[in-house]
Amino acid sequence: MTTVQPRATLDDVARLAGVSAKTVSRVFNQPEIVGAETAQRVQAAATRLRFRPNTLAQHLRRGGGTDTVGFVMGEFGNPFYYKVASGIEAEIAPHGHHLLLATTDDTAEGEARVVDALLGQRVGALLIIPVADDQAYLEGERQLGTPVISIDRDATNVLADAIVLENHRVVHEATRRLLALGHRRIGYVCNPAGVSTQADRLAGYRAAMSEAGIEDTAAWCRLSDDRTERADTTIGELLDSDDAPTAIITGNNRMTIGALRAMRARDDTRTALIGFDDFDTADVIGVSVITYDPIEIGRQAARLAMERMSDPAGPPRRIVLPTWIVERGTGERPPHERNAP
């Protein structure tokens, strides 16, 4: 039968080292005022007892936050999120900060739950990819000194700093490129569609189509906020429709992969495809994408957070990072012959 031993306390270490509990506390919190021989004896006793100081309790006694940076992101399966996290980690680690991750599963309910849990841990800063329509519940915490940095999407009703992408211009450019190839039936597919990033991308697509004299694009668009819908099914139905598009722009990497599956199932090598977000193997299989540097997103967000932790005053900042198109083959296909103008 396995037994679990109780954790050693400060008093346990003090008894083994033959010093007072206050001296043990000083070794871990103010080592410069403790003699070398005493500190060595305390450290040896702590090691023997497998004692770890409760850093959270120490920070709470001082009335402040911890040296932990909390990052609230979507589902782990999306490579965008863990690349952003790696950028955050790379930036904060040399400064002695630690990263704590929490996932919302891309739901408003998940956001409220995990944000509450992280704030209960007194994180020194909160970095969040917003999902809910309203983040007003964070304004009180921000006023108490916790920096709030929104990533990828603007937070709503809170004076948060933000790191976002250049969405509208790049999708406008991608649409214009397809139009220049002769495409007129160009579709835009995204799920979720209700987030601010997709609103910006969709607006860029519609503006370019309108400039080309094409106002009604409903037949070629599939906009959904139902995560249970399979991307390949949605795009397959679009490809099978009577007025199927000759080119498709997908709003995220999940939809791009769904488009590739639907096209492969139909042996479709003619429909042009440009996907927002790069992904592993996209270069190998020749998928044209709209891309950016997710690690730099994380680094920029972390820098903002550390600046705010040092000096919380000042107006909120909004940094827009560049996006660009990588041509690999699928986005350079001309219209199907039977549909060419």
Side-chain angles (χ1 to χ4, degrees):
M1 181 178 177
T2 302
T3 59
V4 178
Q5 298 178 352
R7 288 189 177 274
T9 66
L10 204 73
D11 290 334
D12 295 330
V13 176
R15 280 193 295 271
L16 183 59
V19 298
S20 68
K22 182 175 288 188
T23 298
V24 175
S25 178
R26 286 171 177 165
V27 168
F28 289 105
N29 296 296
Q30 297 174 289
E32 68 279 0
I33 67 173
V34 182
E37 188 276 332
T38 300
Q40 186 177 17
R41 197 162 73 248
V42 169
Q43 291 285 4
T47 300
R48 182 176 172 184
L49 294 173
R50 298 190 290 274
F51 171 79
R52 292 180 183 273
N54 188 335
T55 55
L56 175 59
Q58 293 166 5
H59 285 289
L60 293 180
R61 282 196 295 271
R62 297 178 193 137
T66 68
D67 59 2
T68 300
V69 172
F71 176 36
V72 178
M73 61 183 195
E75 56 185 353
F76 273 120
N78 191 327
F80 168 74
Y81 296 130
Y82 62 72
K83 287 180 180 178
V84 172
S86 70
I88 297 170
E89 176 72 21
E91 196 67 29
I92 67 174
H95 298 276
H97 299 296
H98 308 286
L99 181 62
L100 185 60
L101 299 176
T103 62
T104 63
D105 201 29
D106 282 327
T107 66
E109 297 77 13
E111 177 182 308
R113 183 183 68 254
V114 300
V115 166
D116 185 64
L118 286 180
L119 293 178
Q121 294 292 316
R122 290 286 184 91
V123 291
L126 181 70
L127 282 61
I128 180 172
I129 297 179
V131 180
D133 294 333
D134 190 352
Q135 282 73 45
Y137 65 93
L138 289 174
E139 179 59 21
E141 189 70 27
R142 186 201 63 81
Q143 292 176 10
L144 292 173
T146 303
V148 178
I149 316 295
S150 69
I151 299 175
D152 187 43
R153 306 162 187 165
D154 288 301
T156 305
N157 296 323
V158 57
L159 293 178
D161 296 295
I163 304 290
V164 296
L165 291 172
E166 184 186 40
N167 289 298
H168 184 284
R169 182 204 60 79
V170 74
V171 175
H172 184 273
E173 179 185 341
T175 309
R176 283 175 56 87
R177 290 193 186 193
L178 292 170
L179 288 163
L181 287 171
H183 292 280
R184 291 297 179 268
R185 298 211 294 262
I186 303 170
Y188 188 86
V189 184
C190 62
N191 184 357
V195 294
S196 61
T197 48
Q198 291 300 338
D200 290 343
R201 295 169 194 175
L202 185 60
Y205 156 79
R206 285 174 171 165
M209 295 291 279
S210 178
E211 290 163 9
I214 305 169
E215 299 292 344
D216 187 3
T217 60
W220 312 314
C221 293
R222 295 294 183 272
L223 314 176
S224 174
D225 284 295
D226 184 355
R227 293 181 66 251
T228 65
E229 290 182 4
R230 288 178 55 93
D232 55 339
T233 300
T234 298
I235 297 173
E237 292 172 353
L238 178 60
L239 293 173
D240 293 338
S241 63
D242 293 337
D243 196 25
T246 62
I248 295 174
I249 298 173
T250 51
N252 55 40
N253 51 19
R254 174 174 170 266
M255 300 308 294
T256 306
I257 294 170
L260 292 170
R261 287 176 175 155
M263 291 163 66
R264 180 178 179 180
R266 288 157 179 78
D267 197 24
D268 181 352
T269 58
R270 300 184 301 169
T271 301
L273 174 66
I274 300 177
F276 205 110
D277 298 330
D278 208 349
F279 59 94
D280 293 341
T281 74
D283 57 334
V284 177
I285 58 180
V287 181
S288 299
V289 297
I290 296 167
T291 193
Y292 47 87
D293 187 346
I295 294 176
E296 183 61 18
I297 293 174
R299 284 186 174 276
Q300 292 273 3
R303 290 171 196 153
L304 269 179
M306 289 188 293
E307 289 175 14
R308 288 291 184 209
M309 290 166 75
S310 299
D311 182 13
R317 295 176 59 192
R318 187 176 190 269
I319 298 175
V320 181
L321 295 182
T323 52
W324 58 93
I325 299 171
V326 179
E327 296 182 343
R328 294 182 177 138
T330 59
E332 294 70 56
R333 295 168 177 167
H336 307 178
E337 284 188 15
R338 63 184 177 87
N339 295 321

